[in-house]
Structures are given as C-alpha cells and as structure tokens.
Amino acid sequence: MQMPNSFYIVFLCLSSSLFGCNDLNENIFFSSETKTIQLEYRQIFQESPKDNVSGEIFIKRPKKFKISTIQPSKTELIMNENEIYRTDFALNETVKYKTSNIEKQIPALILIKTSLEICKALQELKASNFVNEIDFELDGKTLKKISYKDQFDSFTEINLFNIKINENLDQKIFDYNKDATLIIMN
C-alpha cells in the first residue's frame, strides 16, 4: 500500500531541545485532565510540489487515535488499543498492524501523550532523526501550530484549528472501514 501524503503529518512532532517540556507540560493539549481532543489541521509543505493536506484528528486517551485526511486524498489512520489500521479509500484497502510493531514509526501518536509522558516521548522522537528545527506556536495554553524540517530537509507547517477539548466523541469514529479489503501485517 502506498503511503499517502496524509501520513507526512506523522512527522509533525517534536524536539525537546528547541521547545521546553515545561511549556508543553502546561499546555491543555497534553494535560492529564484532557481525555478527548478533536481538531482540524492543514499541513503546508513549503518549497515543495506536494499538495497541502487537510483533515481531522480525534483522540480519546489513553489508547484511541484517528487521523482522517480529507484533501488531497481520503485516508485514515486509526489506533484502537492494540491495533492500527491504515485505510486508503481510493485503493479500497485497509492494512492492519499490531500497535506494538509500528507505533514508533508513527510520531504523530505523540499527540496522545499526557504531560506525564511527553518529555520521554520527545526524547525518543529526537533520537529518531525524523524532524529537526521544530517550533511550536501556542495561543495561551492551546497548541496552534507546529513547524519543522523533515528528514529530507523540507520545511512543513501544520496549523491546528477548531480544537475541541473534552467533548463527547462517538466511539464509532475509531472503527476502521470494514468495507475495504483488509490486509493483515505482523
């Protein structure tokens, strides 16, 4: 299965040397009191022919996460406890993985971390060499923008908006597309 542009958002995260853990610890996004998060995002690739990516992210702590890409193509990445599903709707294909086998390959899962876990997760991401020159923009205690250079030295900006904290989420949003062909990876 081809890795769609939407999964470049997985490289959006974080370097503790450029942005203090204390700043993130106090951010409502990573607060241990934050149980659900829903937001829209727009990912802009500077100086690159790649199309901008937009979609939604849903988080239900401790173990449910979804990135739904709307443009330029419709895709989903869903973590539901011990399994991760990547769906490409154009291919009508869903690939299933054990979370423990690939979660380290999906840095966007850092967004599910709480303030008690964030510093360690940032150190692990920094060691992965997927991102550098990371910068965060806060609006009060809310995370609004993340910018970074990826491992190919391409600058990316991810704008987060329409952020909703601790609102009820329909649990069905964490169900993968069962109509697609399911491919099971180990």
Side-chain angles (χ1 to χ4, degrees):
M1 178 172 153
Q2 178 182 348
M3 185 179 240
N5 287 341
S6 66
F7 293 114
Y8 283 118
I9 192 167
V10 299
F11 300 117
L12 65 86
C13 297
L14 312 165
S15 169
S16 60
S17 66
L18 295 174
F19 196 85
C21 280
N22 290 336
D23 294 323
L24 292 178
N25 282 338
E26 295 182 16
N27 189 288
I28 193 167
F29 205 91
F30 299 104
S31 169
S32 58
E33 294 177 12
T34 299
K35 302 300 180 196
T36 66
I37 302 169
Q38 178 179 350
L39 63 90
E40 295 176 43
Y41 73 91
R42 182 161 179 84
Q43 185 171 8
I44 302 165
F45 301 97
Q46 303 290 331
E47 302 173 11
S48 173
K50 295 177 193 170
D51 291 333
N52 293 340
V53 176
S54 61
E56 295 177 291
I57 297 175
F58 304 89
I59 298 169
K60 183 172 187 330
R61 290 193 177 116
K63 294 278 187 179
K64 293 190 178 192
F65 180 90
K66 177 179 181 177
I67 296 175
S68 179
T69 301
I70 300 164
Q71 292 181 335
S73 60
K74 187 174 178 186
T75 63
E76 290 180 340
L77 180 137
I78 296 173
M79 181 179 87
N80 198 345
E81 304 289 329
N82 298 316
E83 300 167 331
I84 292 179
Y85 300 88
R86 286 186 175 172
T87 300
D88 183 317
F89 288 91
L91 296 174
N92 195 32
E93 182 176 88
T94 298
V95 180
K96 175 183 168 184
Y97 305 88
K98 289 182 182 175
T99 299
S100 60
N101 289 346
I102 71 160
E103 68 183 320
K104 300 251 187 255
Q105 298 171 28
I106 307 171
L109 291 178
I110 198 166
L111 297 175
I112 206 166
K113 304 295 184 191
T114 66
S115 60
L116 299 174
E117 305 162 323
I118 192 71
C119 289
K120 181 179 177 190
L122 288 172
Q123 291 170 348
E124 290 172 359
L125 277 177
K126 183 179 178 188
S128 76
N129 294 319
F130 281 121
V131 298
N132 59 59
E133 296 184 32
I134 252 297
D135 191 29
F136 298 89
E137 184 177 311
L138 302 175
D139 181 9
K141 291 193 174 204
T142 303
L143 185 61
K144 288 294 189 181
K145 186 189 322 184
I146 303 168
S147 55
Y148 63 92
K149 279 192 177 180
D150 66 18
Q151 73 270 27
F152 305 110
D153 224 21
S154 297
F155 183 77
T156 299
E157 176 181 293
I158 300 167
N159 295 290
L160 310 175
F161 53 96
N162 292 335
I163 299 170
K164 299 174 185 169
I165 303 288
N166 288 334
E167 292 193 8
N168 288 331
L169 294 177
D170 183 350
Q171 294 306 298
K172 291 180 183 179
I173 64 172
F174 298 106
D175 292 342
Y176 73 94
N177 180 9
K178 293 182 174 125
D179 294 330
T181 302
L182 181 63
I183 300 169
I184 300 174
M185 306 295 284
N186 291 323

